[in-house]
Amino acid sequence: MNHPAELPPEIMQQRPRWRLAATVRRGLLALAVLAQTLIATYFMLSVLPYHGGNLVEASMALVFSLLFAWISVGFWIGLIGFCLRRFGGDPRSLLRQQDEATLRGTPLGRTAVVMPIYHEPVGRSLQGLKSVILSLQRTGKLADFDFFILSDSRDPDVWLAEQAAWHALREELGLEDQLFYRRRPLNLNYKSGNIGDFLRRWGKAYDYMVVLDADSLMAGETLVRMVQLMQRHPQVGILQSSPSLLNGRSLFARLQQFSNQLYGPLFTTGLAAIQLGHAAFWGHNAILRVRPFMQHCGLRKLPGWGLFKGPVLSHDFAEAAYMGRAGLEVWLEPELAQSYEESPPTLSDELTRDRRWAKGNLQHLWLMLFSRRLKLAHRMAFLNGIMGYVASPLWFTFLVLTTIEVARLILWPINYFPEQNQLFPLWPEWHPQRAVWMVSITLTLLFLPKFLAIADVLLRGRRKAFGGGIKLFCSVLLEMLISALLAPIRMLSHCRYVLEALFNVNLRWAGQNRSGETSWLAAVLNQGIGSLMALAWAGFAWWLDPMFFVWSLPVALPLVLAAPIFVLLSKVSWGEGLMRKRWLQIPEEASGSSLLDDLETPSNLLTAEQQPAFNEAIVHPQTNRLQTRLAHAPRAQRQQSELQLLAQRCLQDGPAALSSAERNLLASDARSLQWLHTQVWQADPQSRWGQILARRIRTT
């Protein structure tokens, strides 16, 4: 790997050009957002009765300006993306810095494809990896890639199933020397610690590392293209693809993937055009240059207090910033197609993920303010991530201030002479026309990019990919309606998560739910307090003024109905019903996808076991031999005697009598597994293990 200062002359000549373009683009974006926000804030002040002349109104104007600027940035990025796509793409993008023939003729470097997993559905995760491998096989470049499953799972029924499925997949594909499994004994520092453990052991053997999530899918051609781009551009440290959502079954997941695939290309194109070589890293579906990543992207624990002390939870943005600080480039390339992930199946699962992300993103405030020599673009990326969650408390604050303002005007007599020795009265003024204009402008900023996305699809002749013109338009209206219902629910949940993060509430690290619907009980328990708060606020608004009550309904009504919304959006039957009618359709459902075909192909090797994996590891002869071979060698004599006592209790009382930690100990010890297997096959048919063995034989 060349140091950036030692790059070839032709590369050095290219770098100032994109940097100049980035400076100009970012400057124009900042001017547009600033001008738009100043004008909007002026209109907002003119709408307020005292034009910001008291503390409440001044606070309202300040909060409004912050929220409007946040919305304005998204609007302009979407508009830039639309314009670039209409002109054939961004000429400054990494993909367009060489011709197709040159890129295709570029040899590949040695690449590791790593998939960190933690209590994920085993069959889905490994079937997805199998789809990636088969797609790479079709390119003829499979020999240049190795694959690593990096497990942090603690539950023995999970990691034993992972090991059995990995072994079956390795034998099925004939990849004994290319597909590896590693479960580290201590899962320190979450996902980044898992990646770090891999790099310390095997990093020096590879030029590049592709990181996949448990639900990731990437076409072989895309992986090959990413490696070729890294080979052609030695100054690039990270190349991030733009994953699309797919394979959704519930109504919520289908809404998410439809909006992602319809609106996403505009926003990612615009974002990539603004960031250029200072892009962010999203933690997966990306390729990293291993040596500089190992050298510069180690994450030290935060040295502050509370929230800002301990391991960095959201590591990806920080790693991109550190790579940029080292002089390397980070690119987002929207035109790298066939890069996918899955949406959380329910709103509840999305909000659970957001709870973890909120704390991680707020930690970035420390890095943004106190890390030295970071690029301004990466500091702005930190700020963007922080605002993704702080915007909700700001919106909530704006609603509170609005309620105070209305209550003050209605319940307290108007003081026309607030200053001592004031000669002339201060008259409150109302300008309802300007208020209507303000609402119209805000709605335009929010929704115009969505209609530009429709125009982009129609102008490209891709309406059939989204179900046809009429169904595309109806699907967009449905998505906009449900998005409006979900906005207040997300707002209140994010307010809670920000408060929890500020008070440094500990989070439990858990695998994500990839399936399952939300029950009524869970929805009511999750949203009951918020619904009661919204009901009380709406009642207070009605008591103050019926018009204020009407104004409050778009926020209050979704919160009151949050539990039914949670349940109904989680319904798989509703999502599949709309899929059959080609509503919320995405291109892969219209034209097919070999990745999806491989993912959905039944595989006997990766189906769920007939019984818990711990039982299977003891009962089934072949599985027992495999797990024994993968387990620890015999322990020291003292440890072995303790394990023998534990194994005897397991034999006598059955696996249900042991805790997860105790079953972990037995499953990790080769001698214990062998001894239990022998004893179980000699057990009394009426004993607990005898009955387990009988059931397993009947299902074979």
Side-chain angles (χ1 to χ4, degrees):
M1 169 64 195
N2 293 324
H3 188 276
E6 301 170 353
L7 295 176
E10 64 272 16
I11 297 295
M12 293 296 293
Q13 292 172 5
Q14 292 177 1
R15 297 173 70 199
R17 289 205 294 269
W18 74 256
R19 287 187 173 178
L20 177 62
T23 301
V24 172
R25 292 174 181 183
R26 294 166 193 169
L28 292 175
L29 175 64
L31 286 175
V33 171
L34 180 61
Q36 200 171 41
T37 302
L38 289 175
I39 294 171
T41 304
Y42 170 78
F43 268 90
M44 181 65 188
L45 288 170
S46 71
V47 168
L48 295 173
Y50 293 102
H51 311 314
N54 56 52
L55 180 61
V56 172
E57 291 190 357
S59 300
M60 289 177 65
L62 175 62
V63 173
F64 172 82
S65 65
L66 294 173
L67 290 172
F68 193 90
W70 167 247
I71 295 172
S72 179
V73 170
F75 166 78
W76 285 109
I77 285 178
L79 185 61
I80 292 168
F82 174 77
C83 294
L84 286 174
R85 285 174 65 82
R86 294 314 314 140
F87 286 100
D90 186 359
R92 298 291 184 188
S93 73
L94 193 69
L95 198 57
R96 295 173 183 270
Q97 292 182 20
Q98 62 279 301
D99 59 76
E100 177 69 17
T102 300
L103 193 59
R104 284 194 174 275
T106 303
L108 303 187
R110 196 73 187 142
T111 305
V113 179
V114 302
M115 177 184 282
I117 56 176
Y118 179 73
H119 289 174
E120 302 286 353
V122 178
R124 163 60 186 88
S125 300
L126 270 72
Q127 188 74 5
L129 183 59
K130 176 184 175 182
S131 301
V132 174
I133 293 172
L134 291 176
S135 183
L136 260 174
Q137 198 172 48
R138 288 191 283 269
T139 68
K141 305 290 187 179
L142 183 60
D144 294 295
F145 295 82
D146 287 341
F147 305 88
F148 291 82
I149 303 163
L150 307 176
S151 175
D152 266 337
S153 299
R154 301 293 95 186
D155 186 335
D157 284 326
V158 175
W159 62 261
L160 286 169
E162 290 170 357
Q163 290 187 163
W166 155 74
H167 183 264
L169 180 60
R170 191 173 66 158
E171 288 196 335
E172 177 186 357
L173 298 178
L175 295 179
E176 288 81 2
D177 297 326
Q178 287 180 263
L179 178 56
F180 307 98
Y181 175 91
R182 155 81 174 161
R183 188 178 76 92
R184 59 178 178 151
L186 295 175
N187 48 6
L188 299 175
N189 297 332
Y190 313 108
K191 179 181 175 180
S192 63
N194 201 354
I195 296 291
D197 178 80
F198 163 78
L199 290 173
R200 284 188 294 272
R201 291 175 176 274
W202 296 288
K204 292 181 180 179
Y206 297 96
D207 300 311
Y208 310 111
M209 173 178 66
V210 175
V211 183
L212 301 180
D213 267 359
D215 61 349
S216 294
L217 285 175
M218 293 189 75
E221 291 182 358
T222 304
L223 288 170
V224 170
R225 181 61 50 89
M226 292 173 77
V227 176
Q228 290 170 335
L229 283 169
M230 297 294 280
Q231 291 279 84
R232 294 292 306 171
H233 299 274
Q235 79 279 11
V236 176
I238 301 176
L239 174 58
Q240 173 70 64
S241 70
S242 177
S244 300
L245 299 179
L246 87 169
N247 204 33
R249 292 291 181 264
S250 67
L251 176 57
F252 176 78
R254 292 192 58 74
L255 282 162
Q256 293 293 96
Q257 70 181 24
F258 173 78
S259 61
N260 168 269
Q261 294 232 26
L262 181 61
Y263 314 138
L266 260 66
F267 288 101
T268 52
T269 300
L271 182 63
I274 296 298
Q275 293 177 331
L276 291 179
H278 294 148
F281 169 43
W282 297 336
H284 59 90
N285 291 49
I287 186 169
L288 303 91
R289 196 176 297 274
V290 169
R291 187 173 297 176
F293 187 82
M294 294 174 63
Q295 188 174 0
H296 302 294
C297 296
L299 297 177
R300 296 180 179 178
K301 292 186 177 181
L302 297 180
W305 62 92
L307 168 66
F308 304 112
K309 184 177 179 62
V312 178
L313 297 179
S314 294
H315 58 92
D316 36 22
F317 276 31
E319 289 161 346
Y322 293 167
M323 192 72 85
R325 182 171 65 182
L328 288 105
E329 299 170 7
V330 181
W331 286 83
L332 166 64
E333 184 47 72
E335 294 186 41
L336 287 171
Q338 298 191 76
S339 174
Y340 303 106
E341 61 178 326
E342 293 182 3
S343 165
T346 69
L347 178 58
S348 177
D349 295 307
E350 183 197 71
L351 292 177
T352 299
R353 183 185 66 181
D354 282 350
R355 185 185 183 197
R356 184 175 65 251
W357 285 2
K359 187 171 184 179
N361 282 19
L362 288 175
Q363 282 185 325
H364 291 163
L365 183 62
W366 182 279
L367 300 175
M368 184 182 77
L369 295 176
F370 301 117
S371 291
R372 294 181 298 171
R373 297 185 295 108
L374 295 186
K375 305 293 184 183
L376 178 61
H378 288 130
R379 294 187 195 274
M380 292 300 100
F382 284 143
L383 179 61
N384 182 63
I386 293 167
M387 275 298 297
Y389 293 96
V390 173
S392 291
L394 289 175
W395 182 17
F396 184 82
T397 301
F398 185 79
L399 295 175
V400 171
L401 292 171
T402 303
T403 304
I404 294 172
E405 176 76 352
V406 173
R408 188 177 63 84
L409 291 171
I410 293 175
L411 299 179
W412 282 272
I414 297 175
N415 183 6
Y416 295 97
F417 297 91
E419 303 288 341
Q420 284 188 350
N421 304 319
Q422 184 175 327
L423 297 178
F424 301 100
L426 179 63
W427 299 96
E429 297 178 356
W430 286 268
H431 297 284
Q433 313 96 310
R434 293 185 180 182
V436 171
W437 273 104
M438 279 303 310
V439 172
S440 301
I441 291 171
T442 303
L443 292 177
T444 299
L445 295 186
L446 287 171
F447 294 113
L448 181 59
K450 297 191 176 188
F451 289 103
L452 290 178
I454 298 175
D456 183 63
V457 168
L458 297 178
L459 291 171
R460 287 172 176 264
R462 301 183 67 228
R463 68 185 70 189
K464 291 185 178 179
F466 291 91
I470 295 177
K471 291 183 178 179
L472 169 61
F473 188 73
C474 292
S475 295
V476 169
L477 292 180
L478 176 63
E479 186 276 331
M480 290 169 61
L481 171 63
I482 295 180
S483 293
L485 292 175
L486 295 183
I489 297 173
R490 288 189 172 116
M491 178 266 293
L492 198 59
S493 296
H494 288 178
C495 287
R496 172 190 162 194
Y497 301 156
V498 169
L499 285 175
E500 289 178 345
L502 293 176
F503 285 100
N504 200 29
V505 175
N506 288 328
L507 300 179
R508 185 176 64 89
W509 191 32
Q512 297 184 46
N513 177 34
R514 308 290 181 186
S515 61
E517 300 181 355
T518 303
S519 68
W520 280 97
L521 178 61
V524 171
L525 291 176
N526 189 285
Q527 293 296 306
I529 295 177
S531 296
L532 291 175
M533 289 174 56
L535 194 60
W537 180 54
F540 181 66
W542 174 264
W543 180 73
L544 281 176
D545 186 294
M547 284 303 297
F548 183 55
F549 169 75
V550 173
W551 179 88
S552 73
L553 283 180
V555 176
L557 192 59
L559 289 170
V560 172
L561 300 176
I565 290 172
F566 266 63
V567 173
L568 296 179
L569 288 181
S570 73
K571 295 292 184 184
V572 174
S573 58
W574 286 38
E576 292 180 342
L578 290 176
M579 180 169 59
R580 287 191 292 270
K581 296 178 180 179
R582 293 194 298 138
W583 281 52
L584 303 176
Q585 181 174 282
I586 59 174
E588 287 76 13
E589 294 168 349
S591 57
S593 165
S594 59
L595 280 171
L596 268 179
D597 292 342
D598 291 334
L599 180 66
E600 295 173 354
T601 300
S603 176
N604 294 329
L605 296 172
L606 298 178
T607 54
E609 298 287 357
Q610 301 291 334
Q611 59 181 337
F614 179 79
N615 297 0
E616 187 78 3
I618 292 173
V619 169
H620 195 279
Q622 185 176 350
T623 306
N624 180 260
R625 285 195 296 271
L626 168 66
Q627 301 294 3
T628 300
R629 192 166 68 248
L630 297 174
H632 293 299
R635 310 292 185 90
Q637 186 61 39
R638 184 179 62 83
Q639 293 176 313
Q640 195 62 49
S641 61
E642 294 173 355
L643 284 168
Q644 185 60 37
L645 291 174
L646 190 59
Q648 289 173 353
R649 184 153 65 88
C650 177
L651 180 65
Q652 180 178 346
D653 300 333
L658 273 60
S659 67
S660 178
E662 291 171 332
R663 287 184 287 119
N664 249 328
L665 288 173
L666 290 177
S668 301
D669 182 66
R671 186 175 295 176
S672 297
L673 286 175
Q674 287 177 326
W675 184 83
L676 280 169
H677 175 71
T678 303
Q679 297 301 314
V680 163
W681 277 85
Q682 297 174 358
D684 184 345
Q686 301 304 316
S687 68
R688 291 182 177 85
W689 279 108
Q691 294 172 10
I692 292 172
L693 178 59
R695 285 197 301 270
R696 183 63 180 91
I697 292 174
R698 286 197 299 270
T699 57
T700 301

